[in-house]
Amino acid sequence: MESDVGTFMPTGLGFTGSCKAHAILKEVMQLLQPINVTDIYENGSETDTGYWLKDGVPGASLHDDDSKYFWFHHTQGDTMTVQDPSQMNLCAAIWTVVSYVIADMEEMLPRK
């Protein structure tokens, strides 16, 4: 799992994996209904996880409103002061729930 496109208003997770793993993640994402972030998008591939994904390991990446990403990315303004704390907290909540549930499963997420 990775979050490489900022921590803006989250809408869900991009996911790459088997149909069975996708079905499991879909159930896990339902736990996030109280914060209205339950969507799963195709393609959880990002630069940092691509090697694992091509070998069949399931992967997810944060899907958020990254329309302002390049306003700050690798600029002098790329500091914590531009973060919206409530949006960042929502992003952290997604990863907390998903990683906890997946880590606590009796079996690993199925690979392709």
Side-chain angles (χ1 to χ4, degrees):
M1 299 184 297
E2 77 161 353
S3 181
D4 199 25
V5 291
T7 50
F8 302 102
M9 182 57 76
T11 58
L13 294 178
F15 182 74
T16 299
S18 69
C19 290
K20 189 172 180 182
H22 187 276
I24 292 168
L25 184 62
K26 186 174 181 177
E27 285 189 45
V28 173
M29 292 299 287
Q30 293 308 302
L31 297 170
L32 295 164
Q33 282 182 347
I35 62 171
N36 198 30
V37 183
T38 59
D39 290 336
I40 301 174
Y41 302 89
E42 294 296 317
N43 194 7
S45 177
E46 294 289 340
T47 304
D48 299 327
T49 59
Y51 292 104
W52 291 297
L53 296 174
K54 75 175 181 154
D55 287 336
V57 176
S61 58
L62 182 67
H63 199 277
D64 62 8
D65 175 14
D66 63 353
S67 60
K68 298 177 184 176
Y69 180 69
F70 286 104
W71 291 11
F72 306 106
H73 182 66
H74 293 283
T75 70
Q76 294 289 355
D78 195 353
T79 66
M80 291 300 292
T81 60
V82 298
Q83 294 290 318
D84 179 315
S86 62
Q87 291 178 7
M88 192 159 66
N89 286 342
L90 290 172
C91 294
I94 293 167
W95 288 129
T96 300
V97 168
V98 172
S99 61
Y100 179 84
V101 171
I102 290 174
D104 198 44
M105 291 172 39
E106 288 188 27
E107 295 182 29
M108 293 189 333
L109 278 179
R111 295 182 178 206
K112 280 191 169 183

